Amino acid sequence: MAERSVVIVGGGLVGSLAACYFAKRGWKVDLYEKRQDVRQPEHSCLVEHRSINLAISERGFSALRRLDPLLEARVRELAIPMHGRMIHALDGKQTSQAYDVFGKHINSVGRNALIRVLLDAADSYSWVTLHFRHELVDVDFDARRATLRNAETGHQLDSSADLIVGADGAYSRVRQRMMTKVMMNYSQTYIEHGYCEFSMAPINDAFAMDPNHLHIWPRGSFMLIALPNPDKSFTCTLFMPWRQFDQIKTGDEAVGFFRANFPDALDLMGEKSMCAEYARNPKGSLVYVKCTPHTYKNCAVILGDAAHAMVPFYGQGMNCGFEDVEKLDEIMLATLQASGSESTETTQLTDEQLLSALDEYSATRAADTDAIVDLALDNYVEMRSSVISYSYLLRKQLEGILHRLFPTFVIPLYTMVSFTSIPYAAVIRQWNRQTLWLHRSIYAATATAVLGAGLISAQLLGLRMPALNQVARIFSHNY
Amino acid sequence: MAERSVVIVGGGLVGSLAACYFAKRGWKVDLYEKRQDVRQPEHSCLVEHRSINLAISERGFSALRRLDPLLEARVRELAIPMHGRMIHALDGKQTSQAYDVFGKHINSVGRNALIRVLLDAADSYSWVTLHFRHELVDVDFDARRATLRNAETGHQLDSSADLIVGADGAYSRVRQRMMTKVMMNYSQTYIEHGYCEFSMAPINDAFAMDPNHLHIWPRGSFMLIALPNPDKSFTCTLFMPWRQFDQIKTGDEAVGFFRANFPDALDLMGEKSMCAEYARNPKGSLVYVKCTPHTYKNCAVILGDAAHAMVPFYGQGMNCGFEDVEKLDEIMLATLQASGSESTETTQLTDEQLLSALDEYSATRAADTDAIVDLALDNYVEMRSSVISYSYLLRKQLEGILHRLFPTFVIPLYTMVSFTSIPYAAVIRQWNRQTLWLHRSIYAATATAVLGAGLISAQLLGLRMPALNQVARIFSHNY
């Protein structure tokens, strides 16, 4: 045991899952996290300035299941199912839109609750050491050595291992150092919108709204959303162009804005609470990152947001990061077993095999992570605007029917992303094929209808044209 | 005098020009360069691993002229005019392609010779201090303080100023630090080609080839180029896909490759010299960088490669960097004079005016620098492949004629980029308009010809079709 060792930089969701996976495969693990242990009672989630809840779906569960089915079960217990979107109109009318015709759902789960479960799981291996309050200073990849600073003592230490894993988030320092070693194509792009979080407390010890939905107030160029928490509160997030945030400076202006756009949400939050939070809570920026490669020789790999930060609108950031860990494990194991070994201890990989596994991971994974980064960006338009358009709803209806009839031939995009493990790049290809096929069908149907109508009466045809245009428009959505 | 001070990080071409400009406007300047002073006799240009010569054209001269017409004259004396491309066919046949119908030319100039002139000019101001062997450690932008390390003593020092200028190249540390302060959209992309330099010594104390051309051996997916040096040598650069470099390992393989593709160049270089250089000289990567904004509040600005590294195929990297300095100076001066001042000392700008000037620079400059980054990338295809295509040459001929007839209405792309100061983004717009106009004309002419020919004889038309296709193809090139 422990013939090989790994240093993991970052003890967030992806880093702690990676620690479990490597430990399971026999690796000695040292995990370094710059924040304090979220399991300590004095920990305050406020210091993180990050959304406190997120949506876990099939890809996330799949990675947990492969590691340990009991772990998946434990996370499911923590999660609140969200069966669909609840669309809030300006007049307060609520409309439910199911996520899936077969009843599949996504799940709201607390970030820290999930990290706690994963850290406990990592801690259960005696060959895993968790180091909190340790910040990365530098990495010497070829020497396979990370230098870290203990934030409490100021002391610097070197940590050596066979492999260095960067799971240190969108502003990854491991990635930054890796860029000095490899010719990395890299882009980071900020969208022109920011976000601000608000809480909606329980009312009479009950959820203020239906807890089994992801609530959306779509308002065209901006939106409010809300996800349920186990304490029966909701966390609401306002996404809006920066210039609009800049225009709302006083509490009165904030109330006026909410009163005009989200009157029902404002009543449930309370004016005073909303105002206080608007003034106090940080306004966060939204950035997406693409890069390739994700690895350096057989020395290092970056996972999760470090390799592919995305905007949060598909709820796939963590799910994709978990899938990174699962894919890497699959490839490492397959590489070992291709060499004739029946072991599941990937510590037995030779240096060359480890290189081959990391090369394969990097060569195959970037196409998928780039794809979900793009899908997440596109989904912002869907959430804040398309969900209330007539043509969007008609296509959704029609696709739902076709998906019921031909469950593998026509699969709605949201279903492929959230309820399957079809590689993201393949999701986009299948979606493009479906769209083409649907376009052709609708054009054929339209042509037939026009021809039929024309045969009956040229005058009647003139009357029907607007309706046909409407049908054709249904399939003009490109996402 | 010296009411305001600037710290310039990077004493290359752009940094030393910026030092002169700020000094001329009355700023106290501290320039920090990590390498040693190229004017010291012990300096070896080899340590830089960078191309030793480059092409200066109108934008570069314009920036020198604005600073001091005598400086422009001094640089022109150092430069060797290149009136056109000399295309080397496989059989050794050479064909000259003039850069401009009115005889305008670009100029080969040694990098270090140019830096020496600029450093001397900067040194002539008593309020400029040049610090060599000083490497940037960190920047505290809001405190307007740079921390540097003296490479000789290891001593760290802080340098404070009103403004911090990052002219520290494609891998700019100032930019890297700025990214932690502003929401910077940033991308860096490596092309799949690398380069290697070779020297071609004089023969009997004379240039081995015509010195007044930029020599090109275009070979489709790769190419060799050569620029003349004042010592009558040429510096040759091989640009080629990395996988091809990887296949050439031994001296024999290198000779075989050159013999098959550049026999005339090989004979002029000498097999032994070429082999030694192929083995010894580094293989460089080619990266381009785009980012926005280029400034942080009124605290900092990045100039030159730090803001827009580009591939070298348009010979515009330095010219664009010089233009950055000129534009920044223009905007700062215009801001001062808009406030009613008749002074040319931009030290008199208030903090608010400095902010407004830097904001304007950042808002207007990025579109132009992005444009030339794209043009430089496109020009690689032109240099290594299009220059020998029949349709490219025909369009070039036709455009030359139109440019003579209508010098302001039709301007060849190369002329706009190299021989004018039309903003790069406007160059692309004008080029697109010209292309559209030419397309329309040729289609109209073709249609007329087809119609006329059809009226005479359907049979004759059949014979003429291939020729018409050929004409139509001339205008299928995009730039």
Side-chain angles (χ1 to χ4, degrees):
Chain A
M1 168 135 288
E3 300 154 49
R4 282 198 178 271
S5 58
V6 60
V7 160
I8 298 175
V9 181
L13 292 160
V14 172
S16 44
L17 181 70
C20 295
Y21 261 92
F22 277 101
K24 176 174 170 166
R25 301 305 183 199
W27 293 62
K28 177 178 177 301
V29 177
D30 282 282
L31 180 146
Y32 296 91
E33 163 58 39
K34 72 175 173 189
R35 287 166 294 188
Q36 58 184 321
D37 190 341
V38 294
R39 297 168 302 175
Q40 298 299 316
E42 71 271 25
H43 178 83
S44 156
C45 67
L46 278 179
V47 298
E48 297 190 39
H49 290 191
R50 298 197 60 180
S51 177
I52 63 162
N53 54 17
L54 32 80
I56 183 166
S57 52
E58 172 54 21
R59 291 168 207 263
F61 284 127
S62 169
L64 293 171
R65 196 182 310 136
R66 179 179 171 87
L67 179 68
D68 178 0
L70 290 175
L71 201 66
E72 183 197 359
R74 205 168 314 148
V75 172
R76 284 197 186 268
E77 279 167 24
L78 295 172
I80 302 173
M82 297 185 289
H83 293 275
R85 295 169 178 153
M86 186 69 85
I87 309 297
H88 292 247
L90 204 51
D91 63 5
K93 185 165 169 273
Q94 298 183 31
T95 315
S96 168
Q97 294 181 358
Y99 278 126
D100 184 70
V101 290
F102 297 114
K104 287 173 187 157
H105 55 80
I106 61 174
N107 305 273
S108 179
V109 65
R111 178 185 298 271
N112 284 340
L114 188 47
I115 292 181
R116 272 182 217 113
V117 169
L118 292 170
L119 289 177
D120 283 345
D123 252 347
S124 72
Y125 298 92
S126 63
W127 49 97
V128 171
T129 315
L130 306 176
H131 311 257
F132 295 94
R133 306 291 315 272
H134 277 74
E135 191 170 8
L136 184 69
V137 176
D138 207 352
V139 188
D140 183 336
F141 290 103
D142 291 307
R144 293 174 164 75
R145 187 178 60 230
T147 305
L148 302 116
R149 185 188 297 115
N150 182 323
E152 272 159 24
T153 64
H155 181 69
Q156 281 199 189
L157 62 98
D158 285 342
S159 185
S160 295
D162 296 287
L163 181 66
I164 291 166
V165 172
D168 48 348
Y171 301 99
S172 169
R173 195 167 284 188
V174 176
R175 180 188 68 219
Q176 198 190 83
R177 292 298 186 275
M178 201 188 272
M179 285 167 82
T180 67
K181 298 296 291 181
V182 294
M183 294 193 291
M184 186 186 284
N185 290 344
Y186 171 79
S187 72
Q188 64 177 47
T189 313
Y190 288 85
I191 68 169
E192 292 181 6
H193 293 227
Y195 72 91
C196 184
E197 291 193 350
F198 302 87
S199 58
M200 185 185 283
I203 294 176
N204 299 328
D205 198 33
F207 281 103
M209 305 180 295
D210 181 332
N212 295 120
H213 279 83
L214 190 159
H215 294 260
I216 310 184
W217 291 256
R219 296 295 180 263
S221 64
F222 57 95
M223 69 176 182
L224 183 73
I225 68 168
L227 274 77
N229 298 315
D231 67 0
K232 298 186 181 165
S233 69
F234 279 89
T235 301
C236 308
T237 312
L238 171 64
F239 295 96
M240 194 162 72
W242 282 113
R243 58 184 154 67
Q244 250 178 302
F245 275 115
D246 294 342
Q247 283 161 8
I248 302 170
K249 292 188 186 75
T250 66
D252 281 351
E253 285 169 350
V255 169
F257 173 77
F258 268 74
R259 181 62 59 205
N261 294 289
F262 318 114
D264 54 342
L266 180 61
D267 288 338
L268 295 172
M269 289 175 189
E271 288 191 3
K272 204 172 145 191
S273 158
M274 189 279 292
C275 273
E277 293 199 282
Y278 186 81
R280 188 187 63 214
N281 291 353
K283 313 293 177 286
S285 58
L286 298 160
V287 67
Y288 59 93
V289 166
K290 292 180 178 182
C291 69
T292 177
H294 295 181
T295 58
Y296 172 62
K297 295 184 182 169
N298 56 8
C299 307
V301 58
I302 49 174
L303 301 173
D305 283 0
H308 49 68
M310 63 191 78
V311 291
F313 306 111
Y314 229 119
Q316 285 290 308
M318 175 201 58
N319 289 287
C320 177
F322 278 17
E323 195 178 64
D324 289 351
V325 180
E326 182 179 9
K327 291 281 175 202
L328 179 62
D329 183 65
E330 277 176 14
I331 291 172
M332 287 171 66
L333 204 57
T335 306
L336 181 64
Q337 294 176 345
S339 73
S341 168
E342 288 180 9
S343 168
T344 59
E345 306 240 314
T346 54
T347 47
Q348 297 186 12
L349 287 166
T350 64
D351 286 349
E352 291 68 33
Q353 288 168 344
L354 187 56
L355 176 63
S356 144
L358 290 189
D359 279 352
E360 186 184 337
Y361 175 80
S362 196
T364 55
R365 190 64 184 149
D368 289 320
T369 57
D370 282 359
I372 186 62
V373 169
D374 290 337
L375 285 169
L377 197 62
D378 292 345
N379 212 47
Y380 189 21
V381 180
E382 173 161 336
M383 287 179 82
R384 70 180 199 239
S385 167
S386 308
V387 288
I388 43 173
S389 84
Y390 181 59
S391 52
Y392 167 83
L393 293 170
L394 259 170
R395 175 168 180 164
K396 190 172 151 70
Q397 286 289 333
L398 186 57
E399 272 188 333
I401 294 167
L402 292 170
H403 182 45
R404 269 183 194 279
L405 294 172
F406 315 103
T408 57
F409 188 69
V410 177
I411 316 179
L413 182 61
Y414 194 90
T415 296
M416 287 194 277
V417 170
S418 301
F419 306 129
T420 77
S421 290
I422 300 172
Y424 293 116
V427 163
I428 291 186
R429 286 195 297 274
Q430 166 140 3
W431 178 247
N432 287 339
R433 275 200 303 273
Q434 281 177 203
T435 303
L436 185 68
W437 188 87
L438 285 167
H439 275 170
R440 282 182 184 159
S441 308
I442 203 71
Y443 288 141
T446 308
T448 310
V450 169
L451 196 65
L455 288 173
I456 297 166
S457 157
Q459 238 176 337
L460 193 62
L461 177 69
L463 291 170
R464 285 291 176 274
M465 282 301 281
L468 289 170
N469 279 338
Q470 184 62 45
V471 174
R473 270 189 46 221
I474 296 167
F475 291 89
S476 64
H477 283 273
N478 238 345
Y479 55 91
Chain B
M1 169 136 286
E3 300 154 51
R4 283 198 177 271
S5 58
V6 59
V7 160
I8 298 175
V9 181
L13 292 160
V14 173
S16 43
L17 181 69
C20 296
Y21 261 94
F22 277 101
K24 176 175 172 165
R25 300 305 183 200
W27 293 61
K28 178 179 177 300
V29 177
D30 282 281
L31 180 146
Y32 296 91
E33 163 59 40
K34 70 177 175 189
R35 289 165 294 186
Q36 58 185 320
D37 190 342
V38 294
R39 298 169 301 175
Q40 298 298 316
E42 71 272 24
H43 177 84
S44 157
C45 66
L46 279 178
V47 299
E48 296 189 39
H49 290 187
R50 298 197 60 181
S51 178
I52 63 162
N53 54 16
L54 33 80
I56 182 165
S57 50
E58 172 53 22
R59 290 168 208 263
F61 285 127
S62 169
L64 293 172
R65 196 182 310 137
R66 178 180 173 88
L67 179 66
D68 178 2
L70 290 175
L71 201 67
E72 183 196 0
R74 206 169 311 148
V75 172
R76 284 198 185 269
E77 279 168 24
L78 295 171
I80 302 173
M82 298 185 290
H83 293 276
R85 295 169 177 153
M86 185 69 84
I87 308 298
H88 292 246
L90 203 51
D91 62 7
K93 184 166 169 277
Q94 299 184 30
T95 315
S96 168
Q97 293 181 0
Y99 278 127
D100 184 69
V101 290
F102 298 113
K104 286 174 189 156
H105 55 81
I106 61 173
N107 305 274
S108 179
V109 65
R111 179 185 296 273
N112 284 341
L114 188 48
I115 291 181
R116 271 181 218 114
V117 169
L118 292 170
L119 290 178
D120 283 345
D123 252 347
S124 72
Y125 297 92
S126 63
W127 49 99
V128 171
T129 315
L130 305 176
H131 311 258
F132 295 95
R133 305 292 314 273
H134 277 75
E135 190 170 9
L136 184 71
V137 176
D138 206 352
V139 188
D140 183 336
F141 290 103
D142 290 308
R144 292 174 165 75
R145 188 178 58 230
T147 306
L148 302 115
R149 185 188 296 114
N150 182 324
E152 272 159 23
T153 64
H155 181 68
Q156 281 198 189
L157 61 99
D158 285 341
S159 187
S160 294
D162 297 288
L163 181 65
I164 291 167
V165 172
D168 49 345
Y171 300 99
S172 169
R173 196 167 283 186
V174 176
R175 179 188 69 220
Q176 198 190 83
R177 292 298 186 276
M178 201 188 275
M179 285 167 82
T180 67
K181 299 295 291 181
V182 294
M183 294 193 291
M184 186 187 283
N185 289 345
Y186 171 80
S187 73
Q188 64 176 47
T189 313
Y190 288 85
I191 69 169
E192 292 181 6
H193 293 227
Y195 72 91
C196 183
E197 291 192 349
F198 302 88
S199 59
M200 184 185 283
I203 295 176
N204 299 327
D205 198 31
F207 281 104
M209 305 180 296
D210 180 331
N212 295 120
H213 278 83
L214 190 158
H215 294 261
I216 310 184
W217 292 256
R219 296 295 179 262
S221 64
F222 57 95
M223 69 175 181
L224 183 72
I225 69 168
L227 274 78
N229 299 314
D231 68 358
K232 299 184 179 167
S233 69
F234 279 89
T235 301
C236 308
T237 312
L238 171 65
F239 295 95
M240 195 164 70
W242 283 113
R243 56 182 156 67
Q244 251 179 302
F245 275 115
D246 293 343
Q247 283 162 9
I248 302 170
K249 292 189 186 74
T250 66
D252 282 351
E253 285 168 351
V255 169
F257 172 77
F258 268 74
R259 181 63 59 206
N261 294 289
F262 317 115
D264 53 343
L266 181 60
D267 288 339
L268 295 172
M269 289 176 190
E271 288 191 3
K272 206 172 145 192
S273 159
M274 187 281 291
C275 273
E277 294 199 283
Y278 186 82
R280 188 188 64 215
N281 291 354
K283 313 293 176 288
S285 58
L286 297 161
V287 68
Y288 59 93
V289 166
K290 292 180 180 181
C291 69
T292 178
H294 294 181
T295 57
Y296 172 62
K297 296 184 182 170
N298 56 7
C299 307
V301 56
I302 49 175
L303 301 172
D305 284 1
H308 50 69
M310 64 191 77
V311 292
F313 305 113
Y314 230 119
Q316 285 291 309
M318 175 200 58
N319 290 287
C320 177
F322 278 17
E323 196 178 63
D324 290 351
V325 180
E326 184 180 6
K327 291 279 176 205
L328 180 61
D329 183 65
E330 277 176 14
I331 291 172
M332 287 171 66
L333 203 57
T335 305
L336 181 63
Q337 294 176 346
S339 73
S341 168
E342 288 180 9
S343 168
T344 58
E345 305 241 315
T346 55
T347 48
Q348 296 186 12
L349 286 166
T350 65
D351 286 350
E352 292 67 33
Q353 289 168 343
L354 186 57
L355 176 63
S356 144
L358 291 189
D359 279 353
E360 186 185 337
Y361 175 80
S362 196
T364 54
R365 191 65 185 147
D368 288 320
T369 57
D370 282 0
I372 187 59
V373 168
D374 290 338
L375 284 169
L377 197 62
D378 292 347
N379 212 47
Y380 190 22
V381 180
E382 173 160 336
M383 287 181 81
R384 71 181 199 236
S385 166
S386 308
V387 288
I388 44 173
S389 84
Y390 181 58
S391 51
Y392 166 84
L393 292 171
L394 259 171
R395 175 170 181 165
K396 190 171 152 69
Q397 286 288 334
L398 185 57
E399 271 188 334
I401 294 166
L402 291 172
H403 182 44
R404 268 182 195 280
L405 293 173
F406 314 104
T408 56
F409 188 68
V410 177
I411 315 177
L413 182 60
Y414 194 89
T415 296
M416 286 193 278
V417 170
S418 301
F419 306 129
T420 77
S421 288
I422 301 172
Y424 293 117
V427 163
I428 292 187
R429 285 194 298 273
Q430 165 141 2
W431 179 247
N432 288 339
R433 274 197 304 274
Q434 282 177 202
T435 304
L436 186 69
W437 188 87
L438 286 167
H439 276 170
R440 283 183 183 158
S441 309
I442 204 71
Y443 288 141
T446 308
T448 309
V450 169
L451 195 65
L455 288 173
I456 298 166
S457 156
Q459 237 175 337
L460 191 63
L461 177 69
L463 291 169
R464 288 289 178 273
M465 281 301 281
L468 290 169
N469 279 338
Q470 184 63 42
V471 174
R473 269 188 48 220
I474 296 167
F475 291 88
S476 64
H477 283 273
N478 239 346
Y479 46 88

